[in-house]
Amino acid sequence: MTSTEDYLAGVLAGDRRWTARAITLVESTRPDHRELAQRLLVELTPHAGKARRVGISGVPGAGKSTIIESLGTYLTERDHRVAVLAVDPSSRRSGGSILGDKTRMARLSADPRAFIRPSPTAGTLGGVARATREAMVIVEAAGYDVVLVETVGVGQSETAVADMVDTFLLLTLARTGDQLQGIKKGVLELADVIAVNKADGEHEMAARRAARELSGALRLLRSHTPVLTCSGLTGTGLGELWAQIVRHQEETDLAARRRRQQVEWTWSLARDRLLARLEERAAPITEEVERQVLDGTLTPSLAADRLLAAFAGNASPEGNE
Ligand code: GDP
């Protein structure tokens, strides 16, 4: 079996194959892999943490992969090493994950200064987020100084990504009517920088107007989130976009933000593990309880009590197995 030292040496040397293998290791849920992965992460952590971590979100079609391709190339041309990760818990069901299709970022995929990794398909959001966080440690230790984390604009995955990056970028499009209505309120609160994308050709004026309106609306909400325009297709505005991301990081106490994220993450792990144990210990009665709720002989509240009783009844006194 491959040892921690093999992975460690390979990743620290910046070797792509070892970096990819180490990520495969942290994505695995097999207990022996988990143990090896944790040992590796402990060794790698002192070498990680030096990258700019940027989350990129937006509804499907907003232009995320196009902007990652062009912004990524803009950065590698300026001597950065760019890693692209993704959080897409739906990739299991849809069969094809975001970033899974290499043709989406053909140029960046072939760029020796870039490293692209599709979303893990670990299933639950918690599992996918864990694997992506650990992959971030690996790519940082491998020397990538910019980490872009793409997320689909649905569900809780945006919060999960905002909780692991220094700057959360929301890509949006010019729409007619109320700009704010097109964007989910919760996502607006997560955004550190907003870019109205596809500001090119005939859309350019509309994009500029949309950015002005959005910026004005945000000021009314006492938000100072910068709004700018860009085009992933032509590259217009990418320099300003990157400058804005860097500015945000310079104006933020990043060390404090990352420490808070660690605390949040601890709770998130605790909740996930608690839930996993509940499901495991309640498994023998789950089918029966669900059937009774389905046919109306048990109320959901009493059913929940029974699941929890099964959990508590089987718990060892120390609370661990
Ligand atoms: P994603 O689903 O958010 O990753 O969006 P894609 O990057 O796949 O882009 C969706 C569609 O919009 C594709 O047909 C792109 O060619 C187009 N597109 C992406 N960025 C731009 C842009 O900056 N300008 C224009 N005009 N079209 C764009």
Side-chain angles (χ1 to χ4, degrees), residues 102-314:
K102 284 272 182 188
T103 58
R104 285 182 76 223
M105 296 173 198
R107 196 158 36 123
L108 203 58
S109 306
D111 188 332
R113 301 185 65 85
F115 181 89
I116 300 184
R117 182 78 180 192
S119 174
T121 49
T124 64
L125 174 60
V128 172
R130 176 195 59 71
T132 302
R133 277 173 179 268
E134 294 178 350
M136 187 139 76
V137 171
I138 294 168
V139 293
E140 288 184 355
Y144 293 91
D145 65 331
V146 176
V147 183
L148 305 177
V149 186
E150 177 181 4
T151 177
V152 284
V154 290
Q156 288 298 304
S157 48
E158 284 158 324
T159 311
V161 170
D163 279 347
M164 65 173 86
V165 296
D166 302 323
T167 305
F168 190 75
L169 165 67
L170 174 66
L171 285 187
T172 182
L173 298 173
R175 293 186 184 85
T176 49
D178 184 355
Q179 290 303 321
L180 285 177
Q181 245 160 28
I183 304 173
K184 284 181 291 170
K185 185 123 190 307
V187 178
L188 217 49
E189 281 155 14
L190 294 176
D192 299 303
V193 177
I194 298 174
V196 181
N197 194 24
K198 308 197 185 181
D200 49 48
E202 51 175 339
H203 313 296
E204 192 178 340
M205 293 316 290
R208 285 184 192 283
R209 197 165 48 241
R212 271 197 308 276
E213 284 173 19
L214 190 51
S215 188
L218 283 168
R219 271 198 301 277
L220 287 179
L221 298 172
R222 298 193 203 301
S223 157
H224 298 288
T225 310
V227 184
L228 32 87
T229 57
C230 65
S231 165
L233 202 63
T234 64
T236 308
L238 287 185
E240 177 52 29
L241 176 60
W242 183 248
Q244 195 61 252
I245 289 167
V246 170
R247 200 171 309 142
H248 168 258
Q249 300 190 353
E250 280 164 359
E251 288 169 358
T252 306
D253 183 347
L254 282 189
R257 178 169 171 140
R258 288 182 178 186
R259 279 196 301 272
R260 271 197 311 276
Q261 288 175 335
Q262 293 293 91
V263 174
E264 285 293 320
W265 181 234
T266 303
W267 275 104
S268 166
L269 284 176
R271 278 189 292 266
D272 279 0
R273 286 175 195 176
L274 193 61
L275 190 61
R277 284 182 200 183
L278 168 64
E279 284 170 354
E280 187 185 304
R281 287 175 182 163
I285 62 160
T286 300
E287 208 175 308
E288 169 70 9
V289 167
E290 283 185 3
R291 194 186 52 71
Q292 290 180 339
V293 174
L294 273 177
D295 65 23
T297 52
L298 190 63
T299 66
S301 179
L302 287 173
D305 282 343
R306 282 187 51 192
L307 296 177
L308 285 171
F311 172 71
N314 291 341

